[in-house]
Structure formats: structure tokens, C-alpha cells
């Protein structure tokens, strides 16, 4: 008897909850906006805070599928509301490929290319003058020198890291499949060319860039996979990797349990100069234009930085404070930046890195 | 009235169908099944693990729809990267890590001088060449632990270049050293989990396997009062498998369940429990307190050791290296197929059997599955019914020899009754006529019936004792084969029974990966 009453009660609660849920849903009519994104933004778009603001304030539901930035702008845009790659180069390729398609674009946020390493290795990099610590932030001041050490096949013991076996390595994702890899290839080429990368200097520096990437052997095709492996397999397997600044900030929030341990061991290193990974939004329909405007909502922009590490115009004003308290060594501003090589130059470079 | 309400409530509960997740996984995750069941109980879901070798997982990812699976959990992300051309795997995250190592009986490790210091692959090779060390290891072309160990050894023999090049893979000195090292293998297998079981059944000196499986082995051995295996981390040829769990499903509900499972597995309390089972969890393959409390430092495990694996070569070189292993470098196999051509095989039975043998013998088709014969392999085919029929032996892998074997199989016609013991006994005597140390032998007995005439089990046991060599008699059951008879043969020869009823070709393919 008692059990029956309890059952009835549960049933009643279920019905009421169901009705309330339905009512809540119908507050604002929503339209679904669908498109393709670079994978590094999926956690941002799945963030319940972002979903709520877009739904309640703008009546938008986002249906985003992941693809590599370069691939997604080359596909047929028909039937899609928007494309959201992770680099300016991808936008240029889109313009070239789909000359007749009308669209609007806006820069939503960006993240600098950085290196991730470990306390043990960073100490040696500073001692060897490849890196420098200034005001609690680590900078790679001689990236060309470090790349040269890798290409020359120097051993960790040559750099004074006796704990590590084998050769110095700085691991990147596959430049032909991943945006971070292609940005890194562009950065190295530009540095080797003394920041004067044009058709003729490209030919001069390509062999060295190629030698570096050939030496990497097996390359991951996604920056998030490489970052995860960096953390799971450690300093012996992944002593230094290339990635985006926002990855470590996003990780720090997503893994509060692990973070206190990780925080002490990992090091964020800013190459000087570095390049930006921009996130240009390509709106193909009026619905998508609404989404593009909504993404500039100050609250969304704040969440983008604080919870996902994407730098926005607001970073300077809200300061890095909250994020800084959590993550060690976040640079207050990124001042030394070089522009990405022109799209056709980068394309040629990536083409010559392809062979295997 | 109440009765009606109760019925309604009951129907509502039934209506809420339990969500399920089927995971395609490497065999090394077998021991995590209780943990997955616990998740199922606490989350009202059912989690099913279907295990397969890494190379098969890669192939399936390349070619099949995999619609029967919702998630994928191979031993290492290398296989996802090599296989996932269609980008179907999403959200893959490493659940735990384990290095691939040598486990050597402690007393032998001491005798070899491997205790308490770093050991190089060259030193291991020297011990093999002196005849002081023989070991078991899974096939590099079937199982992840074998593949990673092999790639690690290659890098060491090439003096740890940044990455292995095509030229190095053609260097005869390097290839000869690799061949010499692999000649130390006395038993192989298609699965690391099975290798561990085999090791516990037999009396072997050493095994190449995951650190986690060596730890599991040691717990059993200590329980039996046997000496533990000492773990050697080859300094210049180490690999780490990172056990990524990724999603394959597009279904929203299943996806949610996947996310819950992945989060649960990565949550601190569960990570600690996984570590207590001898897996490394947490940051950088480190040895956590929980991990260290599950092991004995006398086994060679140290909390301070930084695991520095060798970098993997590019995809093209990995595939080339695996091909080289299969056709040139691995210890040659001596395989005797005993094929049932009794009357009951008439029709589809014999057609499927011929199809299966064609897959093994056809150069192109066998290469796709990386089970192609090598140039030093010996292949014997004994057709049988209630009496033995003339058999055929072929040495090497030349096109003409393989074609001849194929034609031989094609020409066979089913008739008569079934005697499975006589061909097995004959297989043993054929194997006995070859050198014991030069080959990895195996008998593959395929049958569709109960043995009811001719020789019996005792005669086979006697013959096995007389030969006095470690020769596994694998069976493939088909039709109405007697499971009891085949299980008994597997037990006496430390082998396994593969079920061919649903997929005879698949069973042959699988068994070929075991020697």
C-alpha cells in the first residue's frame, strides 16, 4: 500500500516536471543554426552557459559539426548556415574557392600559438638560452635555435637534461591535416626567412622546414589529441609540443581534480614572435548573421576567455586576473606577433611538406 | 484500482529502456570488465566489451561501417590515426597508460645482470644470441604490444634516429639484428591477454607484454609461491600504449552515455582504482601512490623512473615495418593444417573451408590482413576423414608454391567419417622432423564432427609426451564439432579453440596470427 502511494507520487512528480519542462522550452521560439567548426571550439559551443545565453537571449540553437579548418572551407557550403574555421588562411581559401558565394565575416576571438613543456625541460631551455622567464611568464626567445637543435639531432643530454633519453624533440601536429601544425610550419618558415617570407625566400627555407617535419615521424592530426597525449604520456614521451594557449586554460577548468598536480609540472611557453590562430566566423545565411552578432555578446566574450581561454577584445579590460590566478604563466598581452604568410605561400609550403 | 495503477507504473518502468553501449576494445582491457559492469549497475546502463586485435581494429575502422559498435578502445592511439581515414572517431581520450616491457623471471634477470640498472636492446639481443634468454611475445602484425615492442627495438637498432627512415628499413645489418632478436621467441600469440594466460599455464622464462599484464601475472605467481617476473624497461627501445577511448556513435542518447562513461573512468576515484590494478593513470604516465601500492619495487618498478619512449615512425614506415616483420624478420612459422574433408563437409562446409585456405595462401589477400607467409615459413596440409589422406608440404612463400597448395586444397573432395586424432598425431611427427629452435610451430586442426573412429585422445596425449616439445594444437570448430574433445586438446597442448561456426574464414585468419 505504502509502495503504491510512493509510486503514485513519483508518477505525479514526473508529469508536473514534464509539463514545466515543456513550458520552459516554449518561452522563446528557437531556430537551429547549423554549420561546421574547427574542433578546438566544440567545448566552447557545448558549454552549458553559452548554450543557455544563445537560447534564452537570442533564441538560437547551434548544431555544429567538427572538421579540420582547412577541409571545412573547401567543402560545398550549400545547406550550411555558417563555417567557423580557426585561421585567417582558411578564410582566404574560402574566398578563393567559393568566389560567387555571398557571406559576412567577423573575427570572434583568437588564441596565440604556444609551446607546452615541463618544469624539468623548461629549466634546461632557460639555461641554454632558448627561453627566458620574465615576470612569471616563460618566452621562447630563440625558436630558430631550438628548431636547429632538433634538426641537428642533438640529445637531451647535450642540453643538460640527463633524466631524458634520446634526441631533443619538439612535436607538432601534421601541418597538412591540422591547423596548429600548419601555423607552426608557417611560423618556422617566417622566422627562418628573417620575417621576409616571399616566393624566393620560401624556396630557400623550405628544405630546413621539411627536414624538421620529416624528423617528427608519426604526427597526430588534431591539436586536442596531441595535447591529451602530452598530458597522459608525459615528459619522456612528449617533452615539448606545439599547441594553442586556450588549451591549457580550458583544461584547468574542465579538470579541477587533476589541475593542482598538472599546474606544478606543465609549462606554457610563448614563442617570441608567435602567430595568432584567429577564429573568423563565416555567416552564409541571415540566421547565421544573428549567431555571429550574438557571439560578440559581452557575456559570451567573457566566458570565451575565462572558461575556454580564447582571447577577445575584453581580455585587456577584464585583465587576465581570474585566469591568471588559476593558470601559471599566462602572458598579460601578446605583443610580439608576426603575420601569417600569404595564403599561396603557406599553401606552397604545406604542399612541399606532404610527401609521406 | 490500485492494481491498474501498479500495472501502469510497471509499464512505465519497462518503457524506460536501459541504454547500452557496445565497445570495440583491445584484449588488454578484459580485466577492466568488472569496473564497466559497476558503471552499468550504478548508471542503469549495460556496457559490453567486444575484444579484437589492434590490427583488426585498424582494418575494420578503414573498411567497415562498424555500425554494431558505439565506442572504440584500442590499446594505442596509433591505430586510430592509421585507421580512422573517415574521421568517425570523436572525443578520444587516454584512460590510462602502460609501457611495453620485458618481464623476466627474477632469478634469470639476476643471472643476466639486468637487475637494478638500465638495460639496452643490444644487451637483450646479446643474451638471446648467447642462448641465455628466450621469450614469448605477441605477433607484431596482430597485436599492439607486439607491434609497439617491435617498433621500439627497430628504433634502438637504428641508434634512435629522430624517426625511422625508409633507408634504415633496408639496412641489412639492422634487419639481421632484428631477425636475431626475434629468433629468441619461443611462443607467439595474436593477443596480449592470451599471452599472459599462456605464460601462466606453461613454464616460460620471459615475456614481452604490457607492464600492467606483467603485474597481473606477478600477482598470480606470487599467490602460487612462484618467483615474480622482473621488469626490464629497454632504455633505447621503450614504447607506451595510451589506451584511448573514443566515440563512434551519432545517436544522442548513446553519446550522452558515452560521455558519462568517459568522465566516470577519468574521475579521480576511478582513476585511483584503475591505478591500483597496475595501470598508470594521471599526469605523464607517472607511477602514482595507488599504482605503487599495487606492485612490489623488487619487481623492478620505480616511482622515479621517467618513461621515455621512442618516437613512432611516420605511417608509411610503420606499415612498411609491419610488412617486413611478417615476410622477412619474424621467426618463421611451421604450420600444419589438418583439414576435415569428411562426408559431412559436403556442400557449403567444404566451400567455406576452401575459401578460408585461399585467404591464407593467396599472396594478395593474406597481405591485406598481414598474415601472409614468409619466405622461411613451412606450410603443411593434411586432409583427413576417418582415414588420413596424402598430405602436402611447402617451404617458403613463392607464388608457384602457394598456387600449388591452393590447387591441392581446391582438388579435395569430402567423404567418409571423422578421426581428428590421427591427423594431429601425424602433424606432431612432421613437426618433429624440423629443428626445434628455428621455427614457431603450430597445428591447426579444423573439424566439423565428433571423432568416433580411429585413434583417441590418449593416443594423442602419448604422442605429445613423446615429442616433448611445446607444440600448440589450435582447433577451429565447425558444424557439429565436439567442443569437449577440442577443449581437451587445447588444454593438453596449451592452445585455444576458435569457433568457426559463424565465420570460418575469420577463425582461420585469427588462428594464423598465433604462430
Amino acid at each position: 500500500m505504502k509502495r503504491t502511494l510512493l509510486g503514485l507520487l513519483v508518477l505525479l512528480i514526473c508529469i508536473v516536471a514534464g509539463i514545466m519542462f515543456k513550458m520552459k522550452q516554449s518561452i522563446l521560439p528557437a531556430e537551429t543554426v547549423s554549420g561546421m567548426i574547427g574542433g578546438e571550439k566544440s567545448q566552447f559551443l557545448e558549454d552549458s552557459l553559452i548554450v543557455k545565453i544563445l537560447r534564452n537571449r537570442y533564441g538560437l540553437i547551434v548544431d555544429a559539426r567538427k572538421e579540420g579548418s582547412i577541409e571545412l572551407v573547401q567543402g560545398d557550403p550549400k545547406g550550411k548556415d555558417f563555417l567557423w574555421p580557426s585561421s585567417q588562411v582558411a578564410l582566404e581559401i574560402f574566398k578563393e574557392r567559393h568566389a560567387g558565394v555571398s557571406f559576412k565575416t567577423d573575427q570572434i576571438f583568437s588564441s596565440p600559438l604556444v609551446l607546452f613543456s615541463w618544469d624539468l625541460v623548461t629549466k634546461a631551455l632557460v639555461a641554454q638560452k632558448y627561453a627566458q622567464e620574465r615576470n612569471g611568464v616563460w618566452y621562447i626567445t630563440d625558436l630558430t635555435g631550438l628548431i636547429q637543435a632538433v634538426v641537428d639531432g642533438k640529445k637531451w643530454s647535450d642540453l643538460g637534461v640527463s633524466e631524458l633519453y634520446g634526441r631533443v624533440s619538439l612535436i607538432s601536429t601534421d601541418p597538412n591535416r591540422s591547423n596548429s601544425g600548419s601555423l607552426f610550419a608557417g611560423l618556422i618558415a617566417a622566422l627562418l626567412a628573417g620575417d621576409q617570407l616571399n616566393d624566393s625566400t620560401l624556396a630557400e627555407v623550405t628544405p630546413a622546414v621539411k627536414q624538421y617535419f620529416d624528423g617528427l615521424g608519426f604526427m597526430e592530426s588534431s591539436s586536442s589529441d596531441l595535447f591529451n597525449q602530452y598530458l597522459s604520456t608525459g615528459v619522456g614521451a612528449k617533452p615539448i609540443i606545439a599547441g594553442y594557449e586556450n588549451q591549457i586554460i580550458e583544461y584547468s577548468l574542465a579538470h579541477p581534480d587533476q589541475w593542482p598536480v598538472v599546474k606544478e609540472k606543465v609549462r606554457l611557453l610563448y614563442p617570441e614572435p608567435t602567430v595568432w590562430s584567429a577564429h573568423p566566423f563565416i555567416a552564409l545565411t541571415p540566421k547565421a548573421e544573428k549567431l555571429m552578432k550574438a557571439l560578440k555578446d559581452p557575456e559570451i566574450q567573457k566566458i570565451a576567455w575565462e572558461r575556454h581561454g580564447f582571447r577577445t577584445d575584453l581580455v585587456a579590460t577584464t585583465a587576465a586576473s581570474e585566469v591568471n590566478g588559476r593558470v601559471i604563466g599566462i602572458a598579460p598581452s601578446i605583443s610580439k606577433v608576426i603575420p601569417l604568410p600569404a595564403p599561396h605561400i603557406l599553401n606552397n609550403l604545406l604542399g612541399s611538406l606532404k610527401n609521406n | 484500482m490500485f492494481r491498474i495503477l501498479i500495472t501502469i507504473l510497471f509499464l512505465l518502468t519497462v518503457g524506460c529502456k536501459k541504454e547500452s553501449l557496445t565497445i570495440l576494445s583491445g584484449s588488454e582491457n578484459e580485466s577492466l570488465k568488472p569496473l564497466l559492469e559497476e558503471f552499468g549497475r550504478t548508471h542503469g546502463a549495460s556496457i559490453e566489451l567486444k575484444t579484437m586485435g589492434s590490427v583488426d581494429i585498424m582494418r575494420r575502422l578503414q573498411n567497415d561501417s562498424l555500425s554494431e559498435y558505439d565506442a572504440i578502445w584500442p590499446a594505442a592511439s596509433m591505430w586510430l590515426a592509421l585507421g580512422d581515414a573517415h574521421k568517425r572517431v570523436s572525443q578520444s581520450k587516454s584512460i590510462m597508460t602502460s609501457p611495453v616491457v620485458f618481464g623476466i623471471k627474477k632469478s634469470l634477470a639476476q643471472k643476466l645482470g639486468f637487475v637494478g640498472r638500465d638495460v639496452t636492446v643490444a644487451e637483450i639481443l646479446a643474451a638471446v644470441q648467447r642462448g641465455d634468454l628466450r621469450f614469448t611475445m605477441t605477433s607484431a602484425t596482430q597485436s599492439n604490444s607486439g607491434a609497439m615492442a617491435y617498433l621500439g627495438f627497430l628504433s634502438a637498432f637504428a641508434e634512435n634516429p629522430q624517426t625511422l627512415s625508409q633507408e634504415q628499413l633496408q639496412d641489412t645489418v639492422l634487419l639481421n639484428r632484428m631477425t636475431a632478436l626475434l629468433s629468441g621467441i619461443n611462443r607467439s600469440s595474436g593477443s596480449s591477454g592470451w599471452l599472459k594466460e599462456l605464460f601462466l599455464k606453461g613454464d616460460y622464462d620471459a615475456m614481452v607484454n604490457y607492464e600492467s599484464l606483467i603485474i597481473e601475472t606477478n600477482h598470480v605467481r606470487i599467490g602460487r609461491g612462484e618467483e615474480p617476473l622482473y621488469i626490464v624497461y629497454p632504455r633505447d627501445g621503450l614504447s607506451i600504449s595510451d589506451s584511448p577511448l573514443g566515440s563512434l556513435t551519432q545517436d544522442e542518447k548513446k553519446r550522452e552515455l558515452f560521455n558519462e562513461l568517459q568522465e566516470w573512468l577519468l574521475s579521480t576515484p576511478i582513476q585511483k582504482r584503475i591505478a591500483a590494478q597496475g595501470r598508470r593513470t594521471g599526469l605523464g604516465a607517472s607511477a602514482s601512490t595507488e599504482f605503487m601500492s599495487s606492485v612490489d619495487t623488487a619487481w623492478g618498478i620505480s616511482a622515479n623512473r621517467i618513461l621515455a619512449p621512442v618516437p613512432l615512425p611516420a605511417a608509411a614506415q610503420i606499415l612498411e615495418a609491419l610488412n617486413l616483420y611478417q615476410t622477412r624478420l619474424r621467426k618463421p612459422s611451421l604450420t600444419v593444417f589438418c583439414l576435415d574433408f569428411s562426408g559431412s563437409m559436403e556442400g557449403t562446409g567444404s566451400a567455406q573451408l576452401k575459401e578460408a585456405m585461399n585467404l591464407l595462401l593467396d599472396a594478395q589477400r593474406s597481405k591485406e590482413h598481414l598474415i601472409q607467409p614468409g619466405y622461411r615459413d613451412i606450410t603443411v596440409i593434411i586432409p583427413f576423414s576417418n582415414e588420413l589422406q596424402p598430405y602436402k608440404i611447402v617451404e617458403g612463400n613463392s607464388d608457384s608454391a602457394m598456387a600449388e597448395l591452393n590447387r591441392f586444397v581446391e582438388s579435395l573432395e569430402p567423404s567418409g567419417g571423422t578421426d581428428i586424432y590421427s591427423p594431429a598425431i601425424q602433424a606432431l611427427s612432421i613437426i618433429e622432423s624440423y629443428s626445434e629452435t628455428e621455427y614457431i610451430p603450430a597445428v591447426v586442426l579444423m573439424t566439423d564432427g565428433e571423432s568416433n573412429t580411429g585413434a583417441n585422445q590418449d593416443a594423442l596425449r602419448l604422442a605429445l609426451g613423446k615429442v616433448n616439445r611445446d607444440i600448440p594444437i589450435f582447433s577451429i570448430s565447425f558444424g557439429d564439432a565436439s567442443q569437449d574433445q577440442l577443449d581437451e586438446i587445447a588444454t593438453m597442448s596449451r592452445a585455444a579453440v576458435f569457433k568457426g561456426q559463424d565465420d570460418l574464414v575469420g577463425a582461420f585468419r585469427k588462428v594464423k596470427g598465433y604462430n
Side-chain angles (χ1 to χ4, degrees):
Chain A
M1 181 66 185
K2 240 184 183 169
R3 274 175 57 183
T4 320
L5 280 176
L6 194 71
L8 268 174
L9 198 68
V10 170
L11 184 67
L12 213 80
I13 292 173
C14 284
I15 292 171
V16 174
I19 293 170
M20 282 172 66
F21 182 68
K22 266 274 178 240
M23 279 171 62
K24 196 164 180 245
Q25 272 196 330
S26 55
I27 289 170
L28 218 154
E31 43 188 346
T32 301
V33 195
S34 53
M36 311 294 294
I37 59 167
E40 57 291 313
K41 288 182 291 281
S42 61
Q43 285 189 54
F44 165 76
L45 281 175
E46 281 160 18
D47 187 330
S48 60
L49 295 180
I50 299 292
V51 172
K52 225 184 264 168
I53 296 174
L54 289 177
R55 174 69 185 78
N56 296 345
R57 201 172 292 169
Y58 297 94
L60 294 171
I61 294 171
V62 180
D63 170 28
R65 269 167 301 153
K66 284 193 289 190
E67 204 176 3
S69 286
I70 306 295
E71 285 165 312
L72 73 88
V73 291
Q74 291 177 332
D76 186 358
K78 211 184 280 166
K80 287 160 196 157
D81 294 315
F82 69 90
L83 303 172
W84 198 6
S86 359
S87 84
Q88 206 61 37
V89 175
L91 174 62
E92 299 301 326
I93 294 175
F94 175 81
K95 286 182 193 163
E96 249 177 55
R97 273 289 162 99
H98 309 288
V101 179
S102 67
F103 68 96
K104 298 228 163 81
T105 182
D106 195 2
Q107 188 70 34
I108 308 300
F109 41 57
S110 53
S111 193
L113 192 77
V114 298
L115 304 185
F116 293 107
S117 186
W118 304 86
D119 49 354
L120 176 81
V121 174
T122 304
K123 232 181 258 170
L125 293 181
V126 171
Q128 298 289 323
K129 305 252 180 337
Y130 295 118
Q132 226 176 54
E133 188 199 338
R134 298 197 304 267
N135 303 322
V137 180
W138 281 271
Y139 299 91
I140 294 286
T141 44
D142 186 11
L143 184 60
T144 19
L146 185 56
I147 294 291
Q148 198 54 52
V150 173
V151 170
D152 291 346
K154 284 217 168 131
K155 298 194 166 171
W156 282 114
S157 49
D158 298 333
L159 265 59
V161 192
S162 56
E163 295 91 333
L164 289 189
Y165 182 80
R167 294 176 202 273
V168 176
S169 65
L170 194 177
I171 301 157
S172 153
T173 54
D174 188 336
N176 274 296
R177 290 159 79 192
S178 153
N179 188 55
S180 60
S182 71
L183 290 181
F184 195 54
L187 174 63
I188 297 174
L191 288 177
L192 289 175
D195 207 3
Q196 298 292 317
L197 198 58
N198 50 43
D199 288 310
S200 70
T201 52
L202 178 69
E204 284 166 35
V205 301
T206 296
V209 182
K210 185 168 166 50
Q211 200 186 347
Y212 163 74
F213 277 100
D214 281 351
L216 290 182
F218 190 80
M219 288 179 278
E220 291 298 327
S221 59
S222 134
S223 55
S224 60
D225 287 351
L226 180 60
F227 185 73
N228 285 335
Q229 282 173 29
Y230 155 76
L231 292 174
S232 64
T233 57
V235 61
K238 308 272 186 261
I240 315 174
I241 66 160
Y244 303 119
E245 180 195 40
N246 88 288
Q247 291 179 291
I248 193 85
I249 296 170
E250 204 162 49
Y251 180 89
S252 73
L253 258 184
H255 303 84
D257 282 358
Q258 286 94 327
W259 184 241
V261 181
V262 176
K263 186 179 175 172
E264 298 304 319
K265 290 271 171 204
V266 303
R267 288 290 176 267
L268 169 55
L269 304 156
Y270 294 91
E272 273 187 338
T274 186
V275 286
W276 284 109
S277 156
H279 295 270
F281 190 95
I282 303 172
L284 301 163
T285 63
K287 270 198 289 191
E289 282 178 41
K290 268 198 230 169
L291 175 60
M292 185 163 77
K293 281 200 190 93
L295 290 170
K296 288 291 207 144
D297 181 301
E299 205 178 330
I300 289 182
Q301 292 269 301
K302 188 163 179 278
I303 294 168
W305 167 243
E306 289 183 355
R307 290 171 59 89
H308 301 279
F310 292 113
R311 287 186 183 250
T312 65
D313 301 341
L314 294 169
V315 173
T317 49
T318 57
S321 61
E322 201 275 332
V323 171
N324 246 340
R326 200 167 62 230
V327 184
I328 291 179
I330 295 284
S333 64
I334 311 292
S335 48
K336 290 188 185 159
V337 177
I338 52 171
L340 274 177
H344 81 275
I345 290 192
L346 192 58
N347 248 335
N348 288 346
L349 174 65
L350 296 183
S352 50
L353 298 179
K354 222 164 227 170
N355 70 358
N356 50 18
Chain B
M1 176 63 187
F2 277 130
R3 200 166 289 167
I4 296 171
L5 275 171
I6 291 170
T7 319
I8 291 174
L9 277 174
F10 174 71
L11 286 174
L12 277 173
T13 344
V14 173
C16 302
K17 204 181 115 252
K18 212 164 138 186
E19 200 56 63
S20 70
L21 215 57
T22 308
I23 306 175
L24 177 59
S25 160
S27 64
E28 65 290 331
N29 290 333
E30 199 79 51
S31 41
L32 295 176
K33 266 186 177 165
L35 205 61
L36 296 174
E37 279 159 17
E38 182 186 323
F39 173 85
R41 275 199 309 279
T42 51
H43 292 71
S46 91
I47 309 292
E48 202 185 341
L49 210 61
K50 294 237 170 103
T51 61
M52 201 183 273
S54 289
V55 170
D56 272 347
I57 291 181
M58 172 186 77
R59 276 188 43 77
R60 298 287 306 270
L61 205 47
Q62 279 168 344
N63 303 325
D64 297 353
S65 69
L66 291 179
S67 52
E68 66 269 44
Y69 302 105
D70 308 309
I72 190 163
W73 197 358
S77 35
M78 167 172 103
W79 305 106
L80 294 184
L82 286 176
D84 192 19
H86 311 297
K87 300 214 175 208
R88 286 182 301 182
V89 182
S90 62
Q91 288 174 281
S92 83
K93 275 186 189 163
S94 164
I95 302 299
M96 60 216 172
T97 55
S98 199
V100 179
V101 298
F102 270 88
I104 304 174
K105 273 185 185 163
K106 180 95 188 237
S107 57
L108 177 60
Q110 255 152 355
K111 211 178 93 194
L112 294 169
F114 287 173
V115 173
R117 67 178 184 89
D118 280 344
V119 178
T120 63
V121 179
E123 288 177 286
I124 294 169
L125 171 61
V128 167
Q129 285 179 314
R130 286 194 309 269
D132 291 341
L133 177 66
R134 301 186 74 198
F135 56 96
T136 64
M137 173 174 143
T138 62
S139 159
T141 46
Q142 301 300 317
S143 151
N144 175 67
S145 64
M148 293 200 108
Y150 165 70
L151 292 172
F153 303 157
L154 275 181
S155 171
F157 289 141
E159 287 166 8
N160 296 123
Q162 284 171 14
T163 186
L164 214 54
S165 67
Q166 205 60 40
E167 294 77 58
Q168 279 159 330
L169 286 176
Q170 285 155 7
D171 174 3
T172 21
V173 177
L174 184 154
L175 298 185
N176 288 341
R177 296 181 84 192
M178 194 69 225
T179 308
L181 180 64
L182 295 175
S183 75
I185 296 177
N186 44 11
R187 264 283 196 119
S188 185
S189 125
S191 131
S192 46
W194 196 82
L195 191 77
K196 180 198 97 179
E197 296 302 325
L198 169 71
F199 193 90
L200 285 167
K201 280 181 206 143
D203 183 27
Y204 302 98
D205 284 341
M207 151 165 78
V208 171
N209 214 325
Y210 300 111
E211 179 189 58
S212 60
L213 293 189
I214 308 267
I215 291 169
E216 284 178 16
T217 305
N218 275 354
H219 285 303
V220 178
R221 289 180 63 91
I222 299 281
R224 289 179 188 165
E226 295 167 353
E227 64 167 327
L229 301 181
Y230 185 82
I231 299 180
V232 169
Y233 303 81
R235 177 181 165 84
D236 48 356
L238 189 71
S239 312
I240 299 183
S241 74
D242 61 347
S243 189
L245 172 63
S247 163
L248 283 173
T249 180
Q250 297 295 330
D251 181 279
E252 205 171 314
K253 282 225 174 88
K254 282 186 187 289
R255 194 131 207 178
E256 259 170 47
L257 183 61
F258 172 86
N259 286 343
E260 266 178 62
L261 173 66
Q262 197 182 48
E263 252 171 59
W264 186 78
L265 287 170
L266 288 171
S267 69
T268 306
I270 304 304
Q271 287 275 293
K272 284 186 175 167
R273 283 172 53 193
I274 294 176
Q277 289 192 42
R279 268 93 172 162
R280 291 169 184 254
T281 59
L283 185 65
S286 57
S288 62
T289 331
E290 291 76 20
F291 172 80
M292 287 310 291
S293 67
S294 79
V295 303
D296 188 331
T297 47
W299 302 347
I301 301 175
S302 148
N304 301 324
R305 181 191 302 276
I306 291 177
L307 298 175
V310 300
L312 281 176
Q317 275 73 46
I318 293 179
L319 295 175
E320 169 65 16
L322 293 181
N323 250 325
L324 269 176
Y325 172 90
Q326 188 62 23
T327 53
R328 271 191 71 180
L329 308 179
R330 78 187 149 88
K331 191 166 174 179
S333 21
L334 165 51
T335 317
V336 184
F337 292 96
C338 303
L339 306 179
D340 190 339
F341 273 90
S342 61
S344 53
M345 287 293 286
E346 184 88 55
T348 50
S350 72
Q352 283 188 47
L353 176 54
K354 287 175 178 177
E355 159 71 12
M357 289 309 292
N358 180 275
L359 175 72
L360 264 50
L361 301 173
D362 181 272
Q364 210 42 50
R365 295 182 68 202
S366 58
K367 193 177 169 183
E368 271 176 43
H369 297 273
L370 287 169
I371 50 171
Q372 68 271 43
Y375 75 106
R376 297 174 295 167
D377 284 359
I378 294 170
T379 313
V380 185
I381 290 175
I382 306 179
F384 70 90
S385 53
N386 57 325
E387 50 191 20
L388 291 174
Q389 290 161 31
Y391 62 84
K392 204 160 198 74
I393 299 184
V394 155
E395 304 194 356
N397 63 350
S398 71
D399 288 350
S400 58
M402 289 298 122
E404 191 191 329
L405 264 189
N406 231 332
R407 276 199 302 278
F408 174 66
V409 175
E410 281 298 330
S411 72
L412 297 167
E413 294 293 345
S415 73
T418 309
D419 166 13
I420 62 173
Y421 298 107
S422 297
I425 293 168
Q426 188 178 39
L428 295 180
S429 80
I430 293 174
I431 290 175
E432 202 181 7
S433 67
Y434 288 92
S435 147
E436 184 176 2
T437 51
E438 259 176 67
Y439 300 94
I440 300 184
V443 178
V444 178
L445 170 65
M446 180 272 154
T447 181
D448 81 328
E450 190 159 351
S451 197
N452 44 24
T453 173
N456 59 20
Q457 207 174 86
D458 292 336
L460 178 60
R461 197 184 302 276
L462 203 70
L464 205 54
K466 238 178 69 197
V467 175
N468 196 24
R469 286 192 194 176
D470 184 16
I471 303 170
I473 305 172
F474 296 101
S475 301
I476 294 177
S477 65
F478 192 67
D480 304 321
S482 159
Q483 190 68 29
D484 288 349
Q485 289 180 343
L486 300 184
D487 280 344
E488 188 48 40
I489 294 176
T491 308
M492 71 170 93
S493 69
R494 291 198 296 271
V497 181
F498 297 85
K499 285 206 161 76
Q501 275 85 354
D502 297 333
D503 177 10
L504 188 62
V505 179
F508 268 91
R509 200 161 50 71
K510 221 173 185 175
V511 77
K512 193 64 203 80
Y514 276 68
N515 80 317

